[in-house]
Amino acid sequence: MQKTFAKNIDHLYEDSPYNKLMTQLEKKEDYANYQQYTQFRKAFEKKILKIAHTFSYVRLFGTLYHFNRFKNLFSLREACTDHTGLNSRMRFSLEIINQYFRDAKKIYLTEHNTSYHKKLANSNQYYLVTSVYKPGDMLHQDLTRLTYADNSFDLCLSFEDLEHIPDCQTVIKELYRVTKPGGSVLLSAPFIFENDKTITRATINEKGEITHLLEPEYHGDPVLPLGILCYYHFGWDLLDRFRDAGFSSVKIVTGYNIDKLILDTLLFIIAEK
């Protein structure tokens, strides 16, 4: 019923060269070059957020979008989905893959049987290897101890994993190990543009005892209904962690696409081996 009465938002759209952006950043100061884009995007998002308080479904140029919520939390990055169930972050990552990695053949994706997995698989463009973190499952992989051989993949995709793993540096080293020379990792995680240093929100000791340094933050998880603990909000030093692991080129790709309601501050690390 709600889909039937979706709010048409065509009238909010403004034809402008600032309607979409995809660009590379190598340092924090680079972002200042795109303030006009950021201001335009935020002005549009302000209008969208007003509508999202009343309508769960909207249409832009005939395409239906859904505003989801997790525990009454709402962000355009995570909660604005299209008919495939993919949110802004996921859809932007597909645009990055199409722009940067269309020649990749063998891809490792750190998830299985998700909307994102199905979207990639249905394209029939890649030899796709997927995994889950579920001890005992035949697809189980621990990102700190991957079982794949060295130099296995043209592209490794890891989205919203790293912040949930206390030993995140070992994860980065493992991704480096299984990536082919000349291959890349495409990764997203909570990243605060303004911060040079990563914020550690919690730690865990050898006994598995967790110490919360800040108010516990839990993210939505397809396996755990209550959500999964976030250990880190990363800063620009995350790029150095990839360089320390051996990657030859590390950058951030950011952008948005108002035409497709791909909104919010979207950041992905591309690390080339």
Side-chain angles (χ1 to χ4, degrees), residues 163 165-167 199-214 229-232:
E163 71 272 23
I165 303 173
D167 189 5
I199 296 172
T200 301
R201 303 185 59 86
T203 60
I204 188 169
N205 64 21
E206 311 81 43
K207 298 179 181 179
E209 299 168 335
I210 295 173
T211 299
H212 295 285
L213 307 178
L214 295 169
L229 181 64
C230 175
Y231 286 88
Y232 302 105

Side-chain angles (χ1 to χ4, degrees), residues 13-225:
Y13 184 86
E14 180 183 343
D15 192 21
S16 168
Y18 299 124
N19 272 326
K20 61 179 69 174
L21 173 70
M22 182 183 293
T23 191
Q24 297 177 190
L25 308 174
E26 296 187 3
K27 57 185 184 301
K28 181 168 63 176
E29 292 73 22
D30 292 342
Y31 193 54
N33 298 326
Y34 301 96
Q35 286 305 304
Q36 287 178 297
Y37 286 90
T38 303
Q39 290 167 8
F40 186 88
R41 171 180 59 81
K42 288 184 175 180
F44 180 80
E45 289 172 353
K46 188 175 180 180
K47 301 173 190 176
I48 291 293
L49 289 171
K50 287 181 180 179
I51 289 174
H53 287 300
T54 306
F55 294 89
S56 294
Y57 291 89
V58 298
R59 289 187 186 275
L60 179 63
F61 304 133
T63 300
L64 183 70
Y65 298 93
H66 184 202
F67 296 140
N68 291 296
R69 285 171 172 81
F70 174 72
K71 294 184 178 180
N72 293 321
L73 299 177
F74 179 78
S75 76
L76 291 170
R77 178 182 188 262
E78 297 298 320
C80 180
T81 60
D82 68 0
H83 68 283
T84 67
L86 300 182
N87 60 27
S88 290
R89 171 178 53 80
M90 296 171 183
R91 288 181 284 128
F92 189 61
S93 74
L94 292 173
E95 296 204 345
I96 293 174
I97 292 171
N98 185 59
Q99 178 72 25
Y100 287 88
F101 305 116
R102 63 181 63 183
D103 293 329
K105 301 300 182 185
K106 189 174 183 181
I107 293 180
Y108 172 46
L109 173 65
T110 64
E111 56 191 80
H112 177 76
N113 202 31
T114 59
S115 296
Y116 192 91
H117 170 207
K118 294 171 185 177
K119 179 74 172 178
L120 276 183
N122 289 339
S123 72
N124 295 316
Q125 291 180 251
Y126 314 107
Y127 179 86
L128 194 58
V129 177
T130 60
S131 70
V132 295
Y133 183 80
K134 191 176 182 181
D137 191 284
M138 64 181 299
L139 293 177
H140 169 71
Q141 289 289 332
D142 181 340
L143 288 178
T144 65
R145 295 189 298 273
L146 293 171
T147 63
Y148 308 121
D150 296 357
N151 308 318
S152 291
F153 303 104
D154 299 307
L155 179 63
C156 293
L157 305 175
S158 174
F159 306 132
E160 311 303 294
D161 296 317
L162 197 63
E163 71 272 23
H164 301 299
I165 303 173
D167 189 5
C168 63
Q169 189 61 36
T170 296
V171 174
I172 294 171
K173 290 177 180 178
E174 277 293 272
L175 291 173
Y176 176 84
R177 182 181 67 77
V178 301
T179 300
K180 292 179 181 179
S184 296
V185 170
L186 178 64
L187 177 143
S188 70
F191 189 100
I192 302 175
F193 253 128
E194 296 78 15
N195 288 8
D196 293 321
K197 301 294 184 182
T198 292
I199 296 172
T200 301
R201 303 185 59 86
T203 60
I204 188 169
N205 64 21
E206 311 81 43
K207 298 179 181 179
E209 299 168 335
I210 295 173
T211 299
H212 295 285
L213 307 178
L214 295 169
E215 184 72 21
E217 178 177 296
Y218 292 88
H219 297 171
D221 183 81
V223 178
L224 301 172

